[in-house]
Amino acid sequence: MTKTTKYSVCTICDIGCQVRTQAENGEVTRVIAHDNPMLAKNICFKGVAAPRIHNHKDRIRKPLKRVGERGEDKWEEISFEQAMDEIAEKLKKVVEEYGPEAFAVSTSGWNTQTTHALDRRFMNLLGSPNWTSGVSLCAGNTAAVNKLTYGWFPMGDFGATNCIVLFGHNPRKHSWTPIYNQINAARERGAKVIVLDPRVSDQAEVADLHLRLRAGTDAAMCLGWLKVIFDEELYDKEFVKTWCNGFEELKARVDEYPLERVEEITGVDRDLIAEAARMYASADGAIIPWTPITDMQISSTSAIRLHSILRAVTGNLDVVGGETLGGFNPDYIPESEIGLHEELSLAQKAKQLGYEDHPAYTYRVAEMLKEPCEKVWGYPYADQVMGCHMANPTKIFRAMAKGDPYPVKAFFVLGNNALMSYPNQQQILDGMMNQDLIVTHELFMTPTAMLSDYVLPGDAFSERNHIADSWSWTSRLTLSQKVVEPPEEASSSFQFWTELARRFGFDRHFPWETLEDMLDYRLSRSGRTFAEFESQGFMEMPTPEFRKYRKTGFATPSGKVELFSSVLDEMGFDPLPYHREGPAVSEEYPYLVFTGVREDPFFQTGQRNIKELRDRCPLPSVFIHPEDAAKEGLDNGGWVELQTDHGKVTMQLSIQASMKQGHLRVPHGWWYPELRGQEHLSGAFLSSDAVLCSDDEGLIDYEQGIPHFKGFPGRVVGVEMPESLDREAS
Ligand SMILES: Nc1nc2c(c(=O)[nH]1)N[C@H]1C(S)=C(S)[C@@H](COP(=O)(O)OP(=O)(O)OC[C@H]3O[C@@H](n4cnc5c(=O)[nH]c(N)nc54)[C@H](O)[C@@H]3O)O[C@H]1N2
Ligand SMILES: Nc1nc2c(c(=O)[nH]1)N[C@H]1C(S)=C(S)[C@@H](COP(=O)(O)OP(=O)(O)OC[C@H]3O[C@@H](n4cnc5c(=O)[nH]c(N)nc54)[C@H](O)[C@@H]3O)O[C@H]1N2
Ligand code: SF4
Ligand SMILES: [Mo]
């Protein structure tokens, strides 16, 4: 028996813990804690279950070609060569007939980390701007919107901070474990923690202050904090005077939000709002870590900008214990360069879906920030978390379904369950049914894969070499080593894009034969190869430098922190942040529904087929407050339909005293792998939050076109248990 132990970056979820992976006789056997004591606690039970996932009997191991009707789930096995030849031929046909913009890609770098921006490179050479990702509802869009204000997406200095503000964000032992550990360590040092959450979340339970705001009112809350900070002169006057533009204009806007108004909007007592604002502003080093809550609401752009503005005016930018603007790691060629964004013509960039109406994270803004980005960060298309020049997903699905404003006819999905990962699931289905070519690169037969023409088997993190750089969010490089070969014909997304590129004659731009060649290339400026890197250690990070802006200015058009956004102004949007109310509850739909509260055993739409994990959470639940349940006459554990004016889902009811009255929680990502062959698309429409949430023009954030997942009107109605979900009977 030969036993191997290697360093890995776990990609079961997207925080990328550093762990170790063991294999015996060519099979992954265990994922264990890191041998560095600083990293040893960063592992959760999903990571421990990785061998169960990587060795699972249902993993796709051979390229599959559709033989039945689309979505019928009937396949024949073909060779990788044949699959790539046919895919290339069909994509060429779509491009000839409809133009390169008729080709769209949806992906999620966390799962297909071996892409190295070769998808963008291929698309840019071909002429298509229509790349999007699940990160458009997560840290990707936050990164792009942060750039509007100070040209970079910072990372909180958890190690030295004295105050942590969590807007909904709820890291815990089995959810974003490293951040949970860092918050705990800070708390033990005496740092204060402020939580803003309608529920009593895990973090709220142990917070110094808990503000139970109404869902979807984060922007108003931040405006209230600014009101206190300005009125009580708690801001960093010197920094504001020297480094910020538009202070007077912002102050006038903030004056429109006296605490009485903020109390009315958020439902939080004005004294508590003031206390929290003071605690944050007067801490010596305070952070507002990234949160997905403000990535998914009708005032998303304003709310994210308000976090940026709070960081800036309180003097927390690029200081010890505040928010660090790290910049690119000089030893690793960033995806921003590999993507070849300068190859795409301005005319094609302007066709990017979202460019006209909801441009905040599209090429339109990237072009406006090009010069300052190059000056400050060394790259014109400085991208972080892959989010800085994306197409708008809603617009892509509309173009796929309706040909509006032009047809999209070929759709590639890599490491993303696109059908269920954006709002308005019916439109996504309509769009997919209307394609000439769909290709999915996956580990498992997801509902999205079932709708494809070709399904290619992907590799998993134990089967590939990688150096993770958090998609340029931090400047840390972490080693992930291959410990076993991918099963049968499974292969990396690197291989997919290079093989496709060769079939399009882009060989010159895709000179790499192997993934290791690619890693050698990315390390080339440091004069090392991947083999040398892995022999030298498992992690590298440049020594942080602070207040770098004193040398370079900020990467914005004015070189300052733009409290008044010149970019938004130039595009005809409100240059100052505001609160916009989500759709109102009514007699018919009296509750505010929010999506989220991730379940511990699963990452997003994944792992429902992994027994060890599924047993921990067999079925999806709607959370409701006890008094609301009593009012509705509903019992704990009973079956309900959660209905909105957009759709309905079926789940169990979970009565929880921690819920805020008037609110309902719907989980994300439920489908039923065990119902394959029984229910259409394995029950993808039975319990998915994406069915409930609309993406109508009037209901999305103006600047980015982001849906309002945090507080849309709904109701619950008791129903019989759906037969197909009777787990006892099955
Ligand atoms: N409706 C709705 N949509 C949402 C959200 C929501 O709450 N509601 N949340 C948003 C958020 S926060 C995020 S981060 C995104 C997440 O979006 P994604 O990160 O794309 O997550 P999933 O959509 O679950 O798709 C992941 C797929 O990748 C596959 N996979 C896993 N590892 C690998 C691999 O190594 N290679 C390949 N090829 N495939 C792999 C899994 O089997 C799974 O099917 O979704 C966003 N979309
Ligand atoms: N086990 C596990 N861990 C995960 C994931 C997973 O799928 N499974 N996904 C990872 C990913 S990609 C992400 S994005 C994160 C998400 O994880 P978190 O950042 O923790 O976000 P959620 O779990 O969606 O919701 C957190 C809290 O937001 C509150 N909330 C709801 N609406 C609002 C609102 O309008 N305003 C405010 N202030 N609070 C609100 C909810 O009550 C909830 O307690 O988790 C990561 N960690
Ligand atoms: S939190 Fe768990 S699933 Fe996520 S990267 Fe870490 S070990 Fe893996
Ligand atoms: Mo996320």
Side-chain angles (χ1 to χ4, degrees):
M1 295 254 278
T2 49
K3 188 161 156 181
T4 331
T5 306
K6 300 248 179 160
Y7 290 114
S8 296
V9 173
C10 173
T11 65
I12 302 299
C13 92
D14 52 5
I15 195 66
C17 291
Q18 290 172 261
V19 294
R20 287 177 301 160
T21 304
Q22 294 182 327
E24 280 176 44
N25 300 324
E27 191 175 287
V28 191
T29 47
R30 289 179 76 199
V31 168
I32 57 172
H34 206 277
D35 53 1
N36 182 299
M38 300 281 288
L39 301 167
K41 278 184 173 177
N42 294 350
I43 186 167
C44 80
F45 55 47
K46 294 187 298 304
V48 172
R52 256 31 87 220
I53 301 170
H54 296 182
N55 296 328
H56 198 278
K57 66 174 177 34
D58 293 342
R59 246 187 93 173
I60 300 166
R61 290 177 164 80
K62 292 244 168 71
L64 301 175
K65 178 180 179 177
R66 170 168 74 83
V67 288
E69 294 298 311
R70 189 180 293 294
E72 214 187 337
D73 196 16
K74 293 207 174 113
W75 309 95
E76 67 170 320
E77 288 180 0
I78 56 172
S79 71
F80 183 73
E81 286 296 306
Q82 185 190 340
M84 293 311 297
D85 286 345
E86 292 184 16
I87 290 166
E89 194 186 315
K90 289 179 184 167
L91 181 59
K92 281 179 188 162
K93 212 163 147 247
V94 167
V95 171
E96 263 162 39
E97 200 170 330
Y98 302 98
E101 62 276 10
F103 170 46
V105 169
S106 174
T107 182
S108 181
W110 318 101
N111 310 317
T112 57
Q113 52 176 203
T114 49
T115 301
H116 297 287
L118 295 179
D119 47 358
R120 299 305 301 254
R121 194 177 180 98
F122 175 81
M123 293 176 82
N124 286 335
L125 290 167
L126 186 72
S128 173
N130 287 325
W131 182 98
T132 197
S133 163
V135 301
S136 61
L137 293 169
C138 191
N141 64 325
T142 313
V145 174
N146 267 259
K147 282 182 70 181
L148 295 174
T149 310
Y150 38 61
W152 190 258
F153 181 31
M155 174 59 85
D157 181 4
F158 286 89
T161 196
N162 286 309
C163 181
I164 301 173
V165 183
L166 299 170
F167 277 86
H169 192 33
N170 184 33
R172 50 192 186 277
K173 193 161 186 325
H174 301 285
S175 174
W176 273 34
T177 312
I179 304 292
Y180 169 74
N181 291 333
Q182 292 186 69
I183 294 171
N184 285 350
R187 195 184 273 122
E188 277 164 30
R189 277 193 295 102
K192 300 273 188 260
V193 179
I194 305 172
V195 170
L196 301 101
D197 194 315
R199 282 189 326 134
V200 186
S201 66
D202 310 58
Q203 285 294 342
E205 266 181 4
V206 291
D208 293 277
L209 294 179
H210 177 201
L211 284 67
R212 295 189 78 171
L213 76 179
R214 190 163 61 87
T217 61
D218 298 79
M221 177 61 75
C222 295
L223 287 157
W225 283 29
L226 284 172
K227 178 76 181 137
V228 176
I229 289 167
F230 292 164
D231 285 357
E232 300 184 12
E233 302 195 17
L234 299 174
Y235 58 100
D236 183 336
K237 290 195 188 122
E238 195 48 44
F239 181 83
V240 167
K241 193 167 122 231
T242 321
W243 287 109
C244 299
N245 80 358
F247 180 71
E248 290 309 321
E249 290 96 331
L250 174 66
K251 196 158 174 303
R253 173 60 54 86
V254 166
D255 282 336
E256 293 171 26
Y257 292 85
L259 288 197
E260 303 74 62
R261 183 176 174 206
V262 177
E263 176 178 288
E264 201 178 307
I265 298 172
T266 61
V268 177
D269 180 82
R270 66 192 79 168
D271 293 335
L272 186 56
I273 298 174
E275 192 185 346
R278 287 183 202 120
M279 186 181 275
Y280 170 70
S282 49
D284 180 14
I287 60 174
I288 305 176
W290 161 82
T291 166
I293 303 308
T294 42
D295 300 354
M296 307 183 193
Q297 49 179 281
I298 198 163
S299 304
S300 173
T301 305
S302 281
I304 297 171
R305 283 236 312 131
L306 281 157
H307 290 168
S308 303
I309 289 169
L310 279 164
R311 292 172 183 136
V313 299
T314 54
N316 278 305
L317 273 191
D318 225 15
V319 295
V320 174
E323 319 264 358
T324 36
L325 282 69
F328 295 103
N329 186 314
D331 282 351
Y332 203 48
I333 295 177
E335 296 197 339
S336 304
E337 178 173 331
I338 299 170
L340 291 184
H341 298 285
E342 62 285 358
E343 289 287 327
L344 190 65
S345 69
L346 279 177
Q348 286 308 105
K349 282 186 175 122
K351 287 187 193 161
Q352 188 171 46
L353 292 161
Y355 189 99
E356 286 297 327
D357 310 353
H358 305 291
Y361 54 65
T362 66
Y363 274 123
R364 188 158 157 211
V365 168
E367 287 297 316
M368 293 165 84
L369 293 178
K370 211 163 80 173
E371 276 175 35
C373 277
E374 176 143 38
K375 177 171 165 258
V376 176
W377 302 118
Y379 295 93
Y381 295 94
D383 190 12
Q384 289 178 276
V385 203
M386 304 171 294
C388 299
H389 9 72
M390 302 180 281
N392 177 282
T394 280
K395 292 260 170 184
I396 290 184
F397 297 120
R398 199 168 297 155
M400 281 165 57
K402 301 189 177 138
D404 169 27
Y406 54 74
V408 166
K409 288 300 221 179
F411 184 49
F412 289 12
V413 193
L414 292 95
N416 169 239
N417 194 352
L419 177 69
M420 309 177 65
S421 291
Y422 300 99
N424 196 358
Q425 190 162 315
Q426 185 60 46
Q427 175 168 279
I428 304 175
L429 179 65
D430 296 346
M432 291 184 77
M433 293 306 290
N434 195 26
Q435 293 302 287
D436 289 352
L437 174 64
I438 303 179
V439 178
T440 297
H441 190 268
E442 250 300 343
L443 303 187
F444 295 105
M445 189 53 78
T446 62
T448 302
M450 281 178 196
L451 288 162
S452 306
D453 297 285
Y454 296 88
V455 183
L456 295 174
D459 58 0
F461 76 75
S462 58
E463 298 153 9
R464 59 197 179 209
N465 284 318
H466 190 58
I467 297 173
D469 74 338
S470 351
W471 289 272
S472 306
W473 190 358
T474 71
S475 52
R476 191 184 56 196
L477 302 181
T478 48
L479 172 67
S480 193
Q481 294 169 298
K482 173 175 177 162
V483 62
V484 292
E485 291 300 322
E488 301 187 37
E489 291 199 49
S491 61
S492 62
S493 52
F494 164 86
Q495 193 170 358
F496 174 76
W497 289 110
T498 38
E499 290 290 334
L500 190 67
R502 296 210 173 109
R503 285 164 173 80
F504 276 77
F506 300 150
D507 312 49
R508 189 166 65 83
H509 294 284
F510 286 76
W512 312 281
E513 286 298 327
T514 64
L515 198 46
E516 290 70 26
D517 291 345
M518 184 76 211
L519 292 166
D520 289 349
Y521 165 70
R522 290 193 72 176
L523 283 166
S524 55
R525 285 184 197 145
S526 75
R528 288 173 298 171
T529 61
F530 176 72
E532 284 159 348
F533 183 92
E534 67 175 337
S535 70
Q536 286 165 351
F538 56 84
M539 179 164 55
E540 287 184 9
M541 200 164 95
T543 318
E545 276 181 64
F546 297 97
R547 298 194 201 275
K548 297 178 287 299
Y549 56 84
R550 286 180 174 165
K551 280 187 263 170
T552 58
F554 289 95
T556 57
S558 61
K560 299 205 169 182
V561 173
E562 297 206 348
L563 306 177
F564 178 102
S565 169
S566 65
V567 173
L568 291 177
D569 193 40
E570 200 179 319
M571 296 189 303
F573 293 96
D574 192 335
L576 295 166
Y578 54 87
H579 165 75
R580 180 170 161 220
E581 203 45 47
V585 294
S586 60
E587 222 167 278
E588 202 183 356
Y589 296 109
Y591 294 95
L592 280 181
V593 184
F594 63 81
T595 182
V597 189
R598 308 300 175 183
E599 275 129 349
D600 283 347
F602 315 118
F603 176 66
Q604 308 294 86
T605 73
Q607 293 91 37
R608 291 345 183 252
N609 56 342
I610 309 300
K611 187 176 179 321
E612 293 82 349
L613 295 175
R614 183 70 180 276
D615 283 350
R616 293 176 187 271
C617 180
L619 290 163
S621 300
V622 178
F623 298 168
I624 191 169
H625 187 273
E627 286 184 31
D628 290 333
K631 200 163 63 194
E632 303 295 335
L634 295 169
D635 295 326
N636 194 38
W639 284 85
V640 290
E641 235 174 48
L642 173 48
Q643 305 172 342
T644 68
D645 64 0
H646 195 74
K648 57 180 192 213
V649 296
T650 312
M651 296 186 182
Q652 276 183 304
L653 194 71
S654 173
I655 301 179
Q656 303 205 351
S658 56
M659 272 299 283
K660 187 174 166 69
Q661 261 178 282
H663 287 61
L664 298 171
R665 168 267 188 171
V666 59
H668 167 52
W670 274 89
W671 59 286
Y672 302 92
E674 68 275 20
L675 296 185
R676 187 172 176 192
Q678 279 177 61
E679 284 278 337
H680 184 50
L681 302 175
S682 282
F685 279 78
L686 290 179
S687 308
S688 166
D689 64 341
V691 168
L692 297 174
C693 188
S694 160
D695 58 1
D696 282 355
E697 274 300 322
L699 298 177
I700 54 182
D701 171 84
Y702 292 132
E703 298 85 350
Q704 301 167 65
I706 285 300
H708 190 55
F709 272 124
K710 303 296 165 194
F712 48 94
R715 65 179 171 217
V716 265
V717 178
V719 292
E720 293 294 310
M721 175 197 283
E723 246 171 64
S724 54
L725 298 185
D726 187 347
R727 285 172 65 82
E728 307 267 289
S730 63

